[in-house]
Amino acid sequence: ATEFISVPETSLLRIPKGWSLEEAATLPCAGLTAWVSLVECGKLRAGETVLVQGTGGVSIFALQLAKAFGAKVIATSSSEEKLEKLKQLGADHVINYRTNPKWGKEVLKLTNNKGVDHVVEVGGGATFNQSVRATRLGGHIAIIGVLSGPAASNVVLPSIFAKLIRLSGVAMGNHTQQQAMIEFLDNSDIRPIISHRFPLSALGNAFQHQIDHKHFGKVSITVDKDTAGFRSANL
């Protein structure tokens, strides 16, 4: 971690209108990854259905973007408290994946056996098969994380090509895509969800907080305003 960094001017973009530096710090990683997953790769449209997994920064941004585009959202979590927060953010349906480990089947029930149009896949090995099961014919899965492990065992490959599923590997995005996202946010009511804040001196505690799954959305790291012009970063 550092208080100061030097980067080329061409590597920077303005922040959305009315946003704080702390809010803007959530965009280059979590916000942009969600945007590329759903908008750039997924071509998200109103009326479609999006499945998001968990309550980390990317998943929460994906939920917010999907609702802003007029889509329906199905969200998963292992915490009843967090499932309630997801509903408050606009999730149309929520599923506890701990009590319902075959949640892909539950997604089919909620979509009249059609499946979802988009999956923002952050789980990796332990969730991928259920994501395939939950996806509709011709649907899209954006693979952006491997939180449960990098390898998926017993993947039923015929299900992927039989359902004509499109897979996109997403690792954030580029300058043009971020500019498009910022212009969209200028005209939306979206604001990042930052559940906890830590000073830079407590960076280790912030990482442990994240490892313990105590966060909801983003965790903010605040740099002393007297020692740095840019005062926030995010986990």
Side-chain angles (χ1 to χ4, degrees):
T2 181
E3 293 175 329
F4 297 95
I5 186 171
S6 177
V7 297
E9 181 180 356
T10 53
S11 297
L12 302 176
L13 284 169
R14 68 173 180 85
I15 68 176
K17 297 175 182 177
W19 283 42
S20 68
L21 291 175
E22 181 183 51
E23 290 174 323
T26 68
L27 292 178
C29 183
L32 185 56
T33 299
W35 174 269
V36 172
S37 297
L38 291 177
V39 182
E40 302 288 346
C41 294
K43 309 301 179 187
L44 178 65
R45 294 179 296 178
E48 294 185 327
T49 303
V50 176
L51 172 69
V52 300
Q53 301 172 349
T55 56
V58 175
S59 295
I60 295 300
F61 258 114
L63 188 161
Q64 293 175 294
L65 287 170
K67 297 305 296 183
F69 271 79
K72 297 179 181 179
V73 175
I74 300 174
T76 70
S77 175
S78 61
S79 163
E80 291 297 326
E81 179 183 357
K82 290 182 177 181
L83 289 171
E84 186 59 36
K85 290 182 179 180
L86 288 166
K87 288 192 286 185
Q88 293 173 6
L89 273 181
D92 298 275
H93 302 284
V94 294
I95 302 171
N96 188 317
Y97 65 78
R98 181 161 294 167
T99 59
N100 195 345
K102 296 189 181 297
W103 47 265
K105 186 176 181 180
E106 184 65 22
V107 171
L108 293 178
K109 290 181 181 178
L110 293 172
T111 57
N112 295 318
N113 212 39
K114 294 180 180 178
V116 299
D117 300 279
H118 308 270
V119 177
V120 181
E121 168 58 61
V122 303
T127 59
F128 184 73
N129 283 338
Q130 291 302 311
S131 292
V132 171
R133 186 174 194 176
T135 304
R136 71 163 178 84
L137 181 69
H140 173 244
I141 300 177
I143 304 173
I144 66 101
V146 289
L147 295 177
S148 66
S153 60
N154 301 316
V155 175
V156 184
L157 292 176
S159 294
I160 297 175
F161 57 75
K163 296 174 75 172
L164 305 177
I165 293 174
R166 294 184 298 114
L167 302 177
S168 300
V170 179
M172 295 187 285
N174 60 39
H175 187 280
T176 301
Q177 292 165 338
Q178 184 161 319
Q179 182 62 56
M181 176 187 66
I182 290 171
E183 291 174 0
F184 176 84
L185 293 173
D186 279 340
N187 298 292
S188 81
D189 295 325
I190 292 175
R191 283 296 186 275
I193 304 300
I194 301 172
S195 64
H196 297 85
R197 294 166 173 82
F198 293 84
L200 182 61
S201 59
L203 183 61
N205 294 336
F207 276 112
Q208 189 61 53
H209 188 86
Q210 186 179 42
I211 291 170
D212 292 339
H213 304 291
K214 294 180 179 179
H215 63 296
F216 184 90
K218 298 297 292 181
V219 176
S220 176
I221 306 300
T222 303
V223 179
D224 189 337
K225 65 181 180 180
D226 294 326
T227 60
F230 183 82
R231 299 183 297 180
S232 294
N234 279 270
L235 300 181

